Amino acid sequence: MTETKFSDLGLKPELLSAVQALGFESPSPIQAKAVPAILEGGDIIGLSETGSGKTAAFTLPALQMIDLQARHPQVLILSPTRELSVQVCEEAHRLGKDLDGLRTVPVYGGTPIDRQIRSLKGGAQLVVGTPGRLLDHMRRRTLNPRNIQLVVLDEADRMLDMGFREEMEELLSAMPESRQTLFFSATMNKHVERLIKKFGKDPIPVSVERKTKTVSTISQCYYEVRNRSKVEVLSRLLDIEPPRLAVIFCNTKRSVDECTESLLARGYTADRLHGDISQQLRDRTMQRFREGKIELLVATDVAARGLDVDDVEAVFNYDLPQDPEDYVHRIGRTGRAGRKGRAISFIYGRDVYRLQSIEKYTRQQIQRMDIPSQEQVEGHRADKLFEEVKEQLAASPNQTFRHYIDRLLDQGYAPTEIASTLFEMLRKKLGREGEFIAEDSPNYTSKKPTRPNKRDRERRGRRDDDRGGRERRERRDFDKDPRSERGEGDPRPRMSRDKPGGRQNRIGNRPGSSCLFLGVGKSDGVQPGEIIGMIYRESKIEDGAVGQVLLFERHTLVQIKEECAPKVIKACRSSKLAGRNFKIDFDRQT
């Protein structure tokens, strides 16, 4: 069978040159079937899974049929989310870069409408947007549907699931009768069928059959984990095999917030994405995630479709989704463009029935895994460090510090003692705060805070909002030793949740400590964990030197050991948080 080429699809030279510049050698199956069918002018129903290249399948023919001399909307693309609208528009820019005079605009809620109105009046020919905002523009008469030749419903099933049925029907009813309509969907259900029957004109089905509904390059597994133990298990999995980028899906906004705060407190670089986040912060979060400045993105299903980042190595279902379709769309964020990916799910109790439904729907078995112990985590990290040192020695042994080793040997230290000490120092240096401090290490025991008495422990255990108490109970659920790596001996500080009041009441004058003022706060989008991590990273102070951290709207107060405070101020004055410089000095009001 001869392989289909892009030149066989009937596309104009300007589009073929853009495709070639982007490095695509041959069309995907859905592109090879859909593009010629769309160019023939009929309605189609495109059924294809996430990550199959369906965006280019409808964008390429849409760009081909645009009259570049006409300054009015000719193509309308409906998308379920703001993120997907932006990504489709960006794809149109890339594929149409050689089309002189092409103008595209994304329109969606959460951003000023004036800018979108100017773009529409400026002669945009291709408009991509969410149903609600598109309908708003049409009612304002800033979007005239009279000249629309092509309407594309991207992720039609998702838009219907999100409650956009009325908006979609009103929009389609306002379009010219002569228009061409493309229905693209990952799944076909009765709601999609009803919409197609009402607004389609004998559409031709175009689909790519698969034996399974998930990408074969994604390995899937699950762990049985109680809700209160999820953060600890997640941390261990991240430590054993750290992904370059990972998405953690939760079912609720509250779960997203709690998971993100716990990860930040443990030293990971994480951020959140859900419906209550403003569009400006969402855009900034996605940009930082794409650039690798955030390694973990914690999100609700608002990001399950439309999150187009090729380098996501792992997806965690922190909460198992209710719908098998959502599971498929979630794990489709990894293993893209032929890359390998991992999908890890946490289940407990009745979740097993949902897992069985997912296996039946995807026609794949999801492997059960045992939760790694803390010893396994430590052993894995130590083995990895050993291999890295071994490779470096084999490549080019460094002679820069040889004279220091010779001096230690002359003073009577054995080579094994020197190497062992250096390994231990390197492990601590490379790990997160306190991560490599073993329980039997003198450093671990010497840094333990005073153990609370029985009454304090009971009172702390009764408080639902006490993160420390919850985490101790979590570890006892699946570890015999309650004092694991992040257990009662954790040298890292607990973050205060005190409400704003007089400064003197917020950070007490604890003997031997100082209070520092930082000119960043909640309005800048920073989290306490980011501030703690920055302080330890920049100043290299000892574990446990940071005390209370109180985050306010425009500033933050941090309690620091008195002897470490000047070093922290000096080291952090040139640092940045939330992408900008900030003031740091002793707090004058304590």
Side-chain angles (χ1 to χ4, degrees):
M1 182 177 175
T2 306
E3 184 181 6
T4 304
K5 299 179 181 179
F6 276 105
S7 56
D8 301 329
L9 303 182
L11 297 170
K12 61 173 64 176
E14 292 89 344
L15 296 175
L16 292 175
S17 63
V19 168
Q20 186 177 7
L22 290 171
F24 297 115
E25 297 180 355
S26 59
S28 68
I30 189 64
Q31 292 167 357
K33 289 186 176 184
V35 172
I38 297 171
L39 290 176
E40 288 179 4
D43 291 4
I44 74 161
I45 305 169
L47 293 175
S48 182
E49 74 282 351
T50 300
S52 62
K54 63 180 175 58
T55 302
F58 61 74
T59 303
L60 284 169
L63 293 171
Q64 172 131 330
M65 62 181 64
I66 288 176
D67 180 2
L68 298 174
Q69 304 302 318
R71 297 297 183 183
H72 52 70
Q74 302 167 48
V75 175
L76 187 67
I77 302 175
L78 278 66
S79 296
T81 65
R82 294 173 279 193
E83 288 76 21
L84 189 56
S85 298
V86 171
Q87 288 162 20
V88 171
C89 204
E90 289 175 349
E91 183 82 350
H93 272 294
R94 288 193 292 267
L95 295 173
K97 67 182 183 67
D98 295 330
L99 297 175
D100 189 25
L102 175 67
R103 296 189 181 185
T104 66
V105 57
V107 297
Y108 45 83
T111 57
I113 199 169
D114 295 345
R115 188 183 307 164
Q116 298 172 5
I117 292 174
R118 286 196 297 271
S119 298
L120 290 169
K121 288 183 176 179
Q125 298 126 339
L126 186 147
V127 182
V128 189
T130 53
R133 181 52 67 93
L134 285 171
L135 189 58
D136 189 9
H137 278 290
M138 197 173 70
R139 289 170 176 171
R140 289 170 179 257
R141 301 183 184 276
T142 52
L143 173 62
N144 189 343
R146 183 179 58 201
N147 296 303
I148 297 293
Q149 303 172 24
L150 176 68
V151 177
V152 182
L153 277 67
D154 186 18
E155 307 280 14
D157 55 342
R158 184 62 172 173
M159 285 189 284
L160 290 169
D161 290 343
M162 294 172 68
F164 285 130
R165 182 181 61 82
E166 293 182 0
E167 289 87 345
M168 294 166 67
E169 290 185 354
E170 187 172 345
L171 282 166
L172 290 171
S173 298
M175 298 296 133
E177 285 290 331
S178 60
R179 68 163 189 285
Q180 181 182 3
T181 311
L182 312 181
F183 303 89
F184 275 85
S185 179
T187 59
M188 179 62 71
N189 55 47
K190 62 181 181 180
H191 303 294
V192 178
E193 290 176 350
R194 191 179 299 123
L195 187 73
I196 293 172
K197 184 177 180 179
K198 186 174 182 180
F199 294 99
K201 293 178 292 187
D202 299 322
I204 302 169
V206 176
S207 61
V208 179
E209 294 294 332
R210 295 184 59 90
K211 292 183 179 179
T212 62
K213 293 181 180 291
T214 55
V215 180
S216 59
T217 55
I218 303 175
S219 64
Q220 302 174 62
C221 66
Y222 72 92
Y223 294 84
E224 291 190 35
V225 188
R226 293 177 182 270
N227 282 335
R228 61 176 179 263
S229 305
K230 287 180 179 179
V231 172
E232 178 63 25
V233 176
L234 177 61
S235 299
R236 294 186 183 188
L237 297 176
L238 292 171
D239 291 347
I240 272 191
E241 196 170 352
R244 181 177 176 272
L245 296 176
V247 182
I248 302 165
F249 283 109
C250 303
N251 288 347
T252 65
K253 292 177 281 190
R254 179 178 178 180
S255 184
V256 166
D257 290 337
E258 291 176 351
C259 179
T260 306
E261 290 179 9
S262 297
L263 290 170
L264 288 170
R266 290 166 180 255
Y268 300 95
T269 54
D271 210 338
R272 70 199 79 197
L273 195 68
H274 58 62
D276 286 350
I277 305 296
S278 69
Q279 186 60 39
Q280 184 179 5
L281 284 177
R282 289 173 73 170
D283 292 341
R284 186 173 72 178
T285 297
M286 285 304 305
Q287 184 63 30
R288 293 176 67 197
F289 185 62
R290 289 191 180 95
E291 294 172 353
K293 296 177 181 178
I294 300 169
E295 59 183 343
L296 304 174
L297 181 65
V298 189
T300 55
D301 282 313
V302 71
R305 301 194 188 192
L307 177 61
D308 188 12
V309 181
D310 288 339
D311 296 328
V312 174
E313 295 180 357
V315 166
F316 292 87
N317 286 303
Y318 193 82
D319 300 320
L320 199 66
Q322 300 286 343
D323 194 331
E325 291 180 22
D326 290 331
Y327 175 86
V328 173
H329 294 304
R330 283 183 180 187
I331 71 171
R333 300 309 102 203
T334 185
R336 300 176 72 86
R339 295 179 176 88
K340 292 184 178 180
R342 293 182 290 138
I344 300 100
S345 300
F346 293 163
I347 75 166
Y348 189 74
R350 299 183 64 85
D351 287 342
V352 70
Y353 300 113
R354 274 192 280 164
L355 187 72
Q356 291 171 354
S357 299
I358 290 171
E359 289 179 326
K360 183 178 180 181
Y361 179 78
T362 60
R363 302 172 195 168
Q364 283 188 326
Q365 186 175 2
I366 303 175
Q367 185 180 6
R368 183 186 185 279
M369 303 293 287
D370 293 327
I371 296 171
S373 66
Q374 196 55 51
E375 289 73 18
Q376 289 174 311
V377 175
E378 288 288 344
H380 184 88
R381 299 297 294 270
D383 290 343
K384 186 176 180 181
L385 180 60
F386 174 80
E387 291 299 327
E388 290 177 358
V389 173
K390 183 179 175 182
E391 288 177 8
Q392 185 65 31
L393 287 171
S396 56
N398 196 315
Q399 303 293 325
T400 307
F401 301 101
R402 182 66 179 265
H403 63 285
Y404 289 108
I405 305 299
D406 292 337
R407 285 172 58 186
L408 291 170
L409 291 171
D410 291 341
Q411 293 178 24
Y413 294 100
T416 53
E417 293 177 341
I418 299 172
S420 179
T421 302
L422 291 175
F423 258 93
E424 182 66 18
M425 293 172 65
L426 183 59
R427 291 174 72 209
K428 293 177 183 177
K429 192 74 172 177
L430 294 178
R432 305 177 197 280
E433 306 161 36
E435 190 169 81
F436 287 116
I437 301 179
E439 290 182 85
D440 55 357
S441 166
N443 290 333
Y444 184 91
T445 55
S446 65
K447 286 182 172 59
K448 281 188 178 181
T450 304
R451 190 180 182 91
N453 59 40
K454 182 177 180 180
R455 179 178 299 175
D456 290 339
R457 290 198 304 273
E458 290 175 350
R459 185 189 305 117
R460 187 172 296 172
R462 287 193 299 266
R463 292 178 56 190
D464 290 338
D465 61 342
D466 188 328
R467 182 181 296 111
R470 283 205 310 270
E471 292 185 358
R472 281 194 293 276
R473 292 196 300 276
E474 289 170 12
R475 284 182 286 273
R476 286 198 288 271
D477 282 335
F478 52 85
D479 279 348
K480 297 297 182 183
D481 187 349
R483 299 180 306 143
S484 58
E485 175 190 35
R486 296 180 179 90
E488 294 170 359
D490 191 349
R492 287 170 290 190
R494 285 174 52 206
M495 291 174 287
S496 172
R497 297 287 179 186
D498 294 350
K499 294 182 179 179
R503 284 197 189 174
Q504 195 147 356
N505 295 328
R506 289 181 260 156
I507 293 281
N509 291 324
R510 193 176 66 180
S513 70
S514 299
C515 179
L516 301 187
F517 173 91
L518 280 69
V520 289
K522 294 178 183 177
S523 60
D524 300 297
V526 299
Q527 299 292 332
E530 291 181 90
I531 295 172
I532 294 171
M534 180 272 298
I535 291 174
Y536 278 116
R537 183 177 63 254
E538 299 294 335
S539 61
K540 307 295 189 296
I541 56 178
E542 64 185 64
D543 288 330
V546 180
Q548 286 182 301
V549 177
L550 300 184
L551 191 65
F552 300 99
E553 196 64 28
R554 298 184 182 277
H555 72 278
T556 302
L557 301 180
V558 182
Q559 196 174 50
I560 301 283
K561 279 190 178 180
E562 195 169 22
E563 62 269 23
C564 299
K567 183 178 180 181
V568 170
I569 293 173
K570 183 178 179 181
C572 297
R573 271 183 175 153
S574 58
S575 302
K576 289 186 177 182
L577 278 171
R580 70 177 187 83
N581 295 318
F582 59 91
K583 177 184 177 182
I584 180 170
D585 206 340
F586 289 102
D587 183 42
R588 304 302 179 186
Q589 298 187 36
T590 56

